Amino acid sequence: MINKLKFLNLIVICFLIGSCTDLSYQALDSTVVTEGAAGSIGKATDLITTLYAQLGKIQDSQNDTWGLTEMTSDEMIGPTRGTDWSDNGQLRSLHTHTWNSQHPFLITTWNNLNQAVYQSNVALTATDITEPQKGETRFLRAFFMFHVVDFWGVAPFREVSEGVGVDPKVMNRAEALAFITADLNAAIAALPECADIGRASKTSARALLAKVVMNKAVWSATNPAGPYTFAAADMDQVIALADQVSAACGHTISDKYWDNFIPENAATSKELIFTIPNKRGAGVSGTVRSRYFCTLHYNQNPSGWNGFATLGSFYDKFQPGDQRLGDAIPGVTDVSGLRAGFLIGQQKDKNGADLKERGGKPLIFTKNVLLAGNTEVEGIRVIKYPPDYTNLDNPENDYVILRLADIMLLKAEALLRKGSAGGALTIVNELRAKRGAAALASLDEKALLDERGRELYWEGWRRNDQIRFGTFTGSWEFKNASADGHEVLYPIPATALASNPNLKQNAGY
């Protein structure tokens, strides 16, 4: 495989915003070269393989898309422990919503997402691309652009045929909404009804479209911070899409919650709609490795980085007996002592012996945690993906992007916003029964947001949910309420503004 990169220092501008048409970039198994409109594009199969790899790239690290969706929400904190995890205040600024346009996570995420959109544009120009491949590409482009628009409220867009002198156009939220919707409708028309959960299908496209339509009120609002008006016709469409998803491909809600996340989740769960597949030992981008390393203590198995935790107020949303709160997992708990879910209190090894911190004191994770000034033990840790002890560095757990419980909760939300609280409550209580939680007596927006949190914590949707439900600009531990709500959009990175005069900085920055 040729590994060639031209104009290395300009690659971000070239892919995203920018101005280069003579460049090469590495694909998984081939080199794809673009040289203007008349240049060699490459084979469609290789280009689409690169797109799926980019999907994994944006989820692989806590410093990218996942970090911006979770670290800024009410279900995660990146506490400083002595000098550990100080990171020049980067994590603290995410938690307190005091970021700026130079924040490295924002720059990385902007670059990777917009690069993926451009790579999608390139793939669609391949001369050998088939209609189903166009459907896959449009689905993936819609996914990448969804996050660009959700994070920044705009979407820069460069045609493959445009030359050096053309500054990429910039879609506003309404234009991007129409573009993404058209991509997903085209994908639905072109794709098979069902496919391997690691490939796009009509069902996964409908699931993503349900998310797009549910967020239409947010993206269409005059003020990005709201208020939001959820049109009845849009809610009807979400309900119809959710019904189509739930009726297709044998998808059902798992009786065992953790079947969705264990190393064998692709084979065990019928709930998963779209994932990043990981094969044991293959080193596939999109691995869940960082999800357990980022939170576990040094003296646990595996020896982690002793970083992120959840907030006590979020943990308190759960009832005892709820599967989602935590459970022993065969092949995990008996190997290391770890449980899935929330780790609180005295931690044990596989033999049930008490673990200790590095200083020799008992390793007892506490509910109380500070933003800074902690020791090694403060903060409840989270294990969403149980470690794969056959290969900790290349675990086989598929990375979950879309699953049925999420889509059914979107249906419940649509029913609630239409005034059918009873129908919404039925869906929520059916899910809670599966999870071992007691039925709710009633349902309002706060209760539904809490249920989405309990079901989907640390899966990369919390910021989006909080914005839609109007709580993202509120207050929680160590974060003050926003004065004007401008934080619902991130600042456009300064490097992007310098590269494209069509971009304008978001209000408040």
Side-chain angles (χ1 to χ4, degrees):
M1 178 179 70
I2 300 171
N3 178 9
K4 181 172 60 172
L5 290 173
K6 295 180 182 177
F7 304 117
L8 183 60
N9 293 331
L10 296 178
I11 194 167
V12 168
I13 297 174
C14 294
F15 272 121
L16 313 169
I17 328 238
S19 352
C20 305
T21 55
D22 181 17
L23 68 135
S24 306
Y25 61 88
Q26 180 181 338
L28 275 183
D29 297 303
S30 64
T31 297
V32 181
V33 183
T34 67
E35 296 175 341
S40 172
I41 294 298
K43 294 181 179 180
T45 299
D46 295 334
L47 290 160
I48 294 169
T49 298
T50 300
L51 283 180
Y52 280 105
Q54 189 74 357
L55 182 69
K57 180 179 179 182
I58 67 170
Q59 306 289 359
D60 218 6
S61 166
Q62 66 274 6
N63 301 345
D64 208 304
T65 302
W66 180 75
L68 293 188
T69 61
E70 292 295 342
M71 290 186 207
T72 59
S73 79
D74 65 354
E75 60 184 32
M76 180 181 285
I77 186 170
T80 300
R81 307 177 188 282
T83 58
D84 291 345
W85 290 94
S86 179
D87 288 25
N88 296 315
Q90 294 172 12
L91 302 181
R92 293 192 297 274
S93 70
L94 290 177
H95 187 87
T96 57
H97 293 195
T98 54
W99 48 70
N100 59 37
S101 62
Q102 285 82 37
H103 197 289
F105 289 20
L106 291 172
I107 296 169
T108 296
T109 306
W110 171 275
N111 290 347
N112 286 338
L113 286 171
N114 282 291
Q115 175 181 324
V117 172
Y118 182 76
Q119 287 174 316
S120 303
N121 298 344
V122 171
L124 286 169
T125 66
T127 56
D128 65 337
I129 192 167
T130 65
E131 288 303 311
Q133 287 176 323
K134 289 179 182 178
E136 283 189 275
T137 303
R138 288 187 172 117
F139 169 82
L140 293 169
R141 181 168 67 177
F143 180 84
F144 298 129
M145 192 179 286
F146 175 97
H147 286 292
V148 174
V149 179
D150 199 48
F151 287 162
W152 288 283
V154 295
F157 192 86
R158 169 174 284 287
E159 299 286 358
V160 176
S161 60
E162 290 177 334
V164 174
V166 179
D167 294 317
K169 66 182 179 182
V170 177
M171 300 182 204
N172 60 30
R173 291 196 299 178
E175 292 166 335
L177 173 66
F179 190 92
I180 293 168
T181 301
D183 257 357
L184 289 173
N185 283 326
I188 292 167
L191 289 168
E193 188 71 39
C194 306
D196 182 273
I197 57 173
R199 308 291 296 197
S201 65
K202 288 185 191 297
T203 300
S204 58
R206 287 177 178 131
L208 183 56
L209 182 58
K211 282 189 171 286
V212 172
V213 177
M214 181 56 77
N215 284 281
K216 184 176 178 181
V218 177
W219 292 5
S220 302
T222 302
N223 183 343
Y228 309 128
T229 301
F230 296 85
D234 294 333
M235 298 303 96
D236 286 339
Q237 186 178 4
V238 170
I239 293 165
L241 288 164
D243 287 343
Q244 288 176 300
V245 170
S246 64
C249 308
H251 292 306
T252 58
I253 302 294
S254 298
D255 291 325
K256 296 180 180 180
Y257 180 72
W258 295 104
D259 282 355
N260 293 308
F261 307 102
I262 58 175
E264 303 83 15
N265 60 344
T268 304
S269 173
K270 298 299 183 184
E271 189 174 320
L272 307 183
I273 297 170
F274 185 65
T275 70
I276 302 170
N278 289 297
K279 301 303 180 185
R280 186 164 285 127
V284 178
S285 184
T287 173
V288 302
R289 177 185 185 275
S290 71
R291 298 302 180 265
Y292 43 78
F293 274 95
C294 75
T295 191
L296 288 176
H297 186 270
Y298 313 110
N299 290 344
Q300 291 182 286
N301 181 12
S303 176
W305 309 328
N306 202 38
F308 306 140
T310 196
L311 296 167
S313 58
F314 185 78
Y315 175 80
D316 288 340
K317 296 180 186 296
F318 291 79
Q319 296 175 339
D322 192 329
Q323 289 183 26
R324 300 168 296 191
L325 190 61
D327 207 348
I329 305 295
V332 176
T333 310
D334 54 322
V335 172
S336 66
L338 280 183
R339 292 167 57 86
F342 296 95
L343 308 184
I344 186 171
Q346 176 65 59
Q347 299 303 295
K348 308 279 188 179
D349 68 12
K350 66 178 182 179
N351 299 314
D354 291 350
L355 292 173
K356 300 182 184 299
E357 59 170 292
R358 290 181 297 179
K361 296 179 181 179
L363 184 61
I364 300 174
F365 294 146
T366 66
K367 182 189 294 187
N368 295 326
V369 61
L370 301 172
L371 191 57
N374 299 281
T375 67
E376 294 181 9
V377 299
E378 284 83 5
I380 301 167
R381 312 308 166 85
V382 176
I383 297 294
K384 196 63 188 266
Y385 291 91
D388 182 354
Y389 286 98
T390 64
N391 197 328
L392 288 170
D393 288 334
N394 292 300
E396 193 164 66
N397 322 55
D398 271 21
Y399 188 99
V400 180
I401 295 178
L402 295 167
R403 60 186 178 92
L404 184 58
D406 182 358
I407 305 307
M408 294 311 295
L409 286 174
L410 286 182
K411 179 181 177 179
E413 182 180 341
L415 287 167
L416 183 65
R417 294 191 186 282
K418 282 195 66 180
S420 180
L425 181 62
T426 296
I427 293 172
V428 169
N429 280 337
E430 287 175 351
L431 179 63
R432 288 177 63 81
K434 288 274 191 179
R435 305 313 189 208
L440 300 178
S442 61
L443 190 71
D444 57 13
E445 287 191 22
K446 180 183 182 302
L448 184 52
L449 177 62
D450 285 348
E451 195 63 32
R452 284 190 64 81
R454 285 185 286 263
E455 181 65 28
L456 301 166
Y457 65 90
W458 283 39
E459 291 184 47
W461 296 110
R462 187 60 174 179
R463 172 190 169 275
N464 177 265
D465 286 346
Q466 282 197 274
I467 290 172
R468 195 170 64 255
F469 281 85
T471 67
F472 190 70
T473 56
S475 62
W476 51 84
E477 292 98 319
F478 316 112
K479 176 203 171 291
N480 296 323
S482 172
D484 60 7
H486 74 273
E487 298 90 349
V488 298
L489 294 177
Y490 289 124
I492 296 171
T495 50
L497 292 171
S499 301
N500 184 0
N502 290 330
L503 286 165
K504 307 298 179 186
Q505 187 56 275
N506 285 323
Y509 297 107

